[in-house]
Amino acid sequence: MTWCVFRLGGARARAGLRIGDSVLDLTAARAPYSDVLNMSSLNAFMALGRVASHEVLDWARNVPADHPAMIPAADVTLEMPVTVGDYTDFYASIYHATNVGSMFRPDNPLLPNYKYVPIAYHGRASSIVPSGTPVRRPCGQLQDGDAPPRYAPSRLLDYELELGAFIGAGNRLGEPVPIAEAEQHIFGLCLVNDWSARDIQRWEYQPLGPFLAKNFATSISRWIVPLETLEPFRVPAFTRPEGDPQPLPYLRSEDDQRRGAFDITVEAWIETEAMRSRGIEPFLVSRGNVRDMYWTFAQMMTHHACGGCNLRPGDLIASGTVSGAERESAGCLLERTWRGAQPLELPSGETRRFLEDGDEVILRGYCERETVSRVDFGECRGRVLPARCGMKSA
């Protein structure tokens, strides 16, 4: 079962649960908390915490498939499920961090704080958009060699294949969240594409990190998968190599180490304008797994709040690019093409180092196991539109 906010015809948007090929209209079915679920975002329901989520999910398991409130999923229009107040992007894949570091710091690819601190930066919530929303190529300052910078469209536009966690019940300002309680504050997971302009970022990121390179758009999937649905796919946290430090005590619990990660396959596909016009199927660029992240979502949540930061219902924390040990599991073009030195050969005869106008990126995620029903995260799509860099005086 996965959460959504949907619209049927001209009716007002409201909360639903996808069950198989149907969406259960929770308001029409008179689910628990129907008054809170009869809203155009899930925020108010999320604020009630995991106890309320458990109750509704348990109730929904007993709703018959032929209930009149069951609507074919193909008949509904999905809306943005959450009003996102704040957004934080982590850097939780050691494979991604090592790859990127080796490109720019070959002698010192991984900085010493990485194995102690879940590294993150604060993103821009206002530019988070739902799957299917076009993304315009950003403009910013580009700098080559010793030449002065110039204002121009990004030439090195990239995607980042990530997983996001929505905060449910938050914490009060000044009150940390113990790691043993962290997952009680996580409502569910979604796919995230944190688009990145690599050339803008290279010039602007020192000393404070990315700014225009990231704030132009972040895409999310329209389904939210509750942690309850993912229970059968829990796996141990990433096994740290011998010699790596163990997490500091506030970031470590035996339960999180034993079952705090998830066996979720994530994929990135590309479809170019030429491929669409010729009827060529999208091209699989990479396939990775969320279990390869160095830090768990509970550790990210705990670290985020450990200094007293208050997280609120609907806040989004993202994993950062999910990459694995092999090139085929790299979660962005920067890694997959190794800064463009090894371009992708597409079935249309085209090549790609970075994204071009008209390209559509399609992220997919799923869990599957022989004895358990498949869990589908749906898709997170975004098509690149040409830049608009014209400046008009007031």
Side-chain angles (χ1 to χ4, degrees):
M1 287 187 281
T2 54
W3 299 102
C4 67
V5 169
F6 74 97
R7 190 185 304 275
L8 184 63
R12 187 166 56 85
R14 54 203 184 274
L17 270 175
R18 179 160 187 166
I19 304 174
D21 293 327
S22 299
V23 170
L24 174 61
D25 184 337
L26 295 169
T27 301
R30 299 186 178 182
Y33 309 100
S34 289
D35 56 334
V36 182
L37 291 164
N38 190 25
M39 296 183 180
S40 59
S41 79
L42 287 165
N43 292 59
F45 178 68
M46 296 163 76
L48 300 177
R50 289 281 299 281
V51 172
S53 175
H54 277 303
E55 186 175 343
V56 175
L57 292 169
D58 285 344
W59 168 87
R61 290 187 182 95
N62 297 315
V63 176
D66 59 353
H67 193 285
M70 287 285 194
I71 307 167
D75 293 347
V76 307
T77 299
L78 296 179
E79 304 288 343
M80 183 76 165
V82 175
T83 300
V84 182
D86 277 302
Y87 167 49
T88 304
D89 191 32
F90 280 82
Y91 200 46
S93 167
I94 194 169
Y95 297 113
H96 173 66
T98 302
N99 284 338
V100 173
S102 67
M103 295 176 193
F104 299 98
R105 300 182 305 274
D107 298 330
N108 188 28
L110 202 64
L111 296 177
N113 64 348
Y114 186 86
K115 296 180 180 179
Y116 290 94
V117 179
I119 302 295
Y121 79 96
H122 292 289
R124 181 73 184 176
S126 65
S127 53
I128 295 177
V129 296
S131 174
T133 305
V135 171
R136 191 166 296 281
R137 182 179 298 273
C139 302
Q141 291 193 17
L142 311 182
Q143 191 271 339
D144 298 308
D146 297 325
R150 68 190 191 284
Y151 175 72
S154 170
R155 297 169 303 179
L156 308 182
L157 182 60
D158 202 355
Y159 64 85
E160 291 189 346
L161 172 55
E162 307 190 17
L163 203 70
F166 278 110
I167 301 301
N171 60 300
R172 294 180 180 176
L173 183 66
E175 295 186 1
V177 176
I179 190 166
E181 301 173 12
E183 285 195 359
Q184 294 305 310
H185 295 266
I186 297 176
F187 178 75
L189 307 183
C190 69
L191 295 170
V192 175
N193 182 351
D194 194 37
W195 303 84
S196 181
R198 303 297 183 184
D199 41 4
I200 295 175
Q201 185 172 348
R202 184 180 65 83
W203 173 240
E204 74 176 5
Y205 84 102
Q206 294 182 358
L208 294 180
F211 182 39
L212 299 186
K214 292 281 195 177
N215 70 2
F216 61 96
T218 300
S219 302
I220 64 170
S221 54
R222 296 176 186 248
W223 303 105
I224 301 176
V225 181
L227 295 192
E228 292 88 343
T229 298
L230 295 170
E231 281 297 322
F233 303 98
R234 285 187 175 273
V235 291
F238 185 86
T239 301
R240 297 189 169 206
E242 186 176 352
D244 277 16
Q246 290 301 308
L248 295 181
Y250 81 100
L251 290 173
R252 182 178 176 88
S253 81
E254 291 307 315
D255 186 62
D256 188 55
Q257 290 296 300
R258 181 174 58 84
R259 58 191 298 276
F262 297 95
D263 183 10
I264 303 171
T265 300
V266 287
E267 300 174 344
W269 301 70
I270 286 181
E271 182 184 61
T272 70
E273 195 76 63
M275 292 168 68
R276 278 192 296 277
S277 65
R278 294 165 56 186
I280 299 174
E281 292 296 316
F283 175 76
L284 176 63
V285 179
S286 69
R287 178 182 287 126
N289 197 295
V290 176
R291 70 188 304 166
D292 289 332
M293 292 196 305
Y294 198 77
W295 299 100
T296 67
F297 275 113
Q299 289 171 320
M300 293 180 235
M301 165 73 193
T302 294
H303 183 68
H304 202 319
C306 75
C309 175
N310 56 317
L311 283 82
R312 298 173 294 185
D315 284 359
L316 178 66
I317 59 175
S319 63
T321 305
V322 178
S323 294
E326 307 299 329
R327 185 67 57 81
E328 292 74 18
S329 60
C332 62
L333 289 177
L334 180 69
E335 294 174 82
R336 189 68 173 83
T337 71
W338 207 254
R339 297 183 72 182
Q342 301 173 21
L344 293 174
E345 301 285 342
L346 302 180
S348 57
E350 303 169 278
T351 61
R352 284 293 183 274
R353 291 175 170 84
F354 291 93
L355 296 172
E356 297 186 8
D357 293 348
D359 290 352
E360 184 165 29
V361 177
I362 307 160
L363 307 185
R364 294 170 179 157
Y366 54 89
C367 308
E368 54 186 6
R369 191 169 294 170
E370 288 185 2
T371 58
V372 183
S373 297
R374 176 185 166 110
V375 175
D376 198 335
F377 281 73
E379 295 183 337
C380 181
R381 287 177 173 258
R383 187 176 301 181
V384 179
L385 299 180
R388 285 182 179 169
C389 295
M391 292 287 193
K392 295 182 178 179
S393 59

